[in-house]
Amino acid sequence: MTGDKNKIVVDKNWIILLILTDIFMLIITWITSPRGFWSVITSIILFSVIILIFGIWFEIRKEKQKIRMIQLFINNPEDKSESELLNIINETWHPTIKQISNKLREQSKTIVETKTDLINYKEFIEAWTHEIKTPISLATLVLDNRRDEMSDYVYDRMDYVRQTIVNDVDRILYYARLQADHMDYKFTKMDIKDSVIESLEDFRGIIEEKNIKIENELISFKITSDEKILKFILSQIISNAVKYTSQDKGIIKLKSYMTGEPESKIHLSIKDNGSGVPKQDLPFIFDKGFTGTHPNRQSATGIGLYLVKKYAEMLNIEVEVDPSSTKGNGFEIVLKFPVV
């Protein structure tokens, strides 16, 4: 028999015992008083039916109460719920219930401690990322105001170090924001060409020092996106291209174009002429923590492209690695923006 959402099983032993008792009484009545058999049998059957209905109702009510108390105890394994459960359950189950209770309390305590540690860790990271911006701003100020006192080589190296720290801090901050329950967006119209050029400017020092050639085939297209998040996405891709472009005559190609109907998309391609990635690594290039088998990428964290993919999805931007980005062919990432 079933009831509510849980299956309720009625104890059948007493029902079988009742039926056997009735049969025995019928036999005794037939032997001792055959004439009054039908009047006696009617009374016995009527009485048994009443006992049966009342007994089943009582069993169902008792089982429902047990289920309710067990659920209450599992959700809140405190002394009160444990005591209420022990009062309605057979004593043979008391040691088991107490053992389960201790286990549940230990697990609840561990979960609360773990949640507290995670919250504290997240708050620490967020506070640290904000605090580190002060010395970064100071470094930017010194580099801007004291540039004449430095050689171009020293300035470019210091600017590269500053930009690397900024990228790392942004990466931590954006990674922490992925855990947020709600994220605020500020969508505006912008020019894709201007956005790329602005992001590229942050890497001007290291691009000049490494003598990387920029092949600019960018065309102005109006897109609608969140400016800050898009800049973070572009900075991660450009940083990746600068890092892995060819050491000898490095080239980064920037290209924007639009596909035709019926599904028009604005494409942005950023490609370096580095060594690319092994073919078997391509399907996993956006996985968190994946660094691949290429020796040049073993020191990477495997977080940058993971964040690019995550935030691109949030902004409704498709992101793909060109299938030709295999060993010796460079590495190309294509962003596809909807035409709004």
Side-chain angles (χ1 to χ4, degrees):
M1 187 173 290
T2 60
D4 294 333
K5 296 178 181 179
N6 303 291
K7 185 177 181 181
I8 296 176
V9 179
V10 176
D11 186 3
K12 297 183 180 65
N13 291 335
W14 68 270
I15 297 177
I16 295 173
L17 184 62
L18 178 64
I19 294 172
L20 290 176
T21 303
D22 285 353
I23 293 172
F24 176 75
M25 292 300 295
L26 290 174
I27 295 173
I28 294 297
T29 302
W30 176 259
I31 295 173
T32 57
S33 182
R35 291 183 179 179
F37 175 76
W38 289 109
S39 58
V40 173
I41 191 174
T42 302
S43 300
I44 290 175
I45 291 174
L46 183 61
F47 178 76
S48 297
V49 169
I50 293 172
I51 291 293
L52 191 63
I53 293 172
F54 179 77
I56 291 175
W57 172 80
F58 182 77
E59 282 275 336
I60 292 173
R61 187 170 176 273
K62 188 178 175 184
E63 288 300 311
K64 281 184 176 179
Q65 189 180 12
K66 278 184 185 177
I67 291 171
R68 186 173 62 83
M69 297 309 300
I70 289 172
Q71 289 175 336
L72 184 65
F73 169 71
I74 291 173
N75 294 331
N76 186 22
E78 301 295 334
D79 291 340
K80 184 181 177 183
S81 56
E82 180 187 339
S83 177
E84 290 175 346
L85 178 61
L86 292 175
N87 286 337
I88 64 166
I89 209 160
N90 193 298
E91 287 189 4
T92 56
W93 286 96
H94 285 196
T96 304
I97 294 298
K98 288 182 178 179
Q99 191 177 4
I100 293 172
S101 178
N102 291 333
K103 284 284 183 187
L104 288 175
R105 283 171 188 161
E106 287 176 9
Q107 290 178 355
S108 296
K109 185 180 176 184
T110 303
I111 291 171
V112 170
E113 289 175 350
T114 304
K115 281 185 177 178
T116 304
D117 289 343
L118 283 173
I119 291 171
N120 291 338
Y121 182 72
K122 184 183 174 185
E123 289 177 349
F124 170 74
I125 292 296
E126 289 179 347
W128 180 85
T129 51
H130 287 294
E131 287 178 8
I132 198 68
K133 287 182 178 178
T134 301
I136 291 174
S137 298
L138 181 60
T140 303
L141 191 65
V142 170
L143 285 171
D144 290 343
N145 294 337
R146 302 285 182 176
R147 181 168 186 174
D148 295 340
E149 300 173 16
M150 305 176 195
S151 66
D152 288 344
Y153 175 78
V154 172
Y155 177 83
D156 288 343
R157 293 303 299 173
M158 293 301 295
D159 189 50
Y160 173 65
V161 170
R162 181 194 63 81
Q163 187 56 40
T164 301
I165 295 172
V166 170
N167 280 339
D168 289 342
V169 171
D170 282 348
R171 207 172 295 162
I172 293 171
L173 193 59
Y174 276 89
Y175 182 80
R177 284 177 180 170
L178 277 182
Q179 319 304 321
D181 295 329
H182 174 74
M183 193 171 296
D184 292 326
Y185 300 102
K186 189 177 180 181
F187 286 94
T188 56
K189 282 273 187 184
M190 66 191 80
D191 190 303
I192 185 65
K193 180 181 178 180
D194 294 342
S195 298
V196 177
I197 296 298
E198 184 182 343
S199 297
L200 197 66
E201 184 62 22
D202 293 334
F203 298 88
R204 183 190 53 77
I206 187 64
I207 287 174
E208 289 180 357
E209 186 193 327
K210 294 180 74 171
N211 200 25
I212 297 172
K213 181 182 177 184
I214 303 296
E215 293 186 356
N216 188 343
E217 297 180 23
L218 293 170
I219 299 173
S220 291
F221 288 110
K222 289 294 181 184
I223 59 168
T224 302
S225 192
D226 184 292
E227 188 174 1
K228 283 187 176 179
I229 298 178
L230 179 60
K231 186 177 181 182
F232 169 74
I233 291 173
L234 294 175
S235 71
Q236 297 305 305
I237 298 174
I238 293 172
S239 172
N240 204 61
V242 170
K243 191 184 299 181
Y244 296 116
T245 195
S246 174
Q247 297 295 319
D248 180 33
K249 296 181 180 179
I251 299 173
I252 295 176
K253 295 181 180 179
L254 307 171
K255 186 178 181 181
S256 58
Y257 55 97
M258 183 184 286
T259 54
E261 299 289 347
E263 295 182 359
S264 297
K265 298 271 185 186
I266 296 169
H267 289 57
L268 170 65
S269 163
I270 299 176
K271 180 179 182 180
D272 64 66
N273 67 335
S275 55
V277 297
K279 189 175 180 179
Q280 66 270 23
D281 289 352
L282 281 180
F284 312 104
I285 206 73
F286 294 110
D287 290 357
K288 184 167 67 174
F290 181 77
T291 56
T293 55
H294 196 288
N296 289 350
R297 297 176 185 266
Q298 291 303 301
S299 59
T301 60
I303 294 297
L305 290 182
Y306 164 75
L307 293 175
V308 166
K309 182 77 171 179
K310 285 290 181 184
Y311 279 98
E313 288 174 351
M314 291 179 186
L315 298 183
N316 196 26
I317 302 170
E318 295 176 40
V319 54
E320 296 175 354
V321 173
D322 189 271
S324 66
S325 302
T326 52
K327 194 173 182 180
N329 296 323
F331 188 78
E332 180 180 8
I333 285 187
V334 181
L335 300 179
K336 299 179 183 178
F337 299 85
V339 178
V340 180

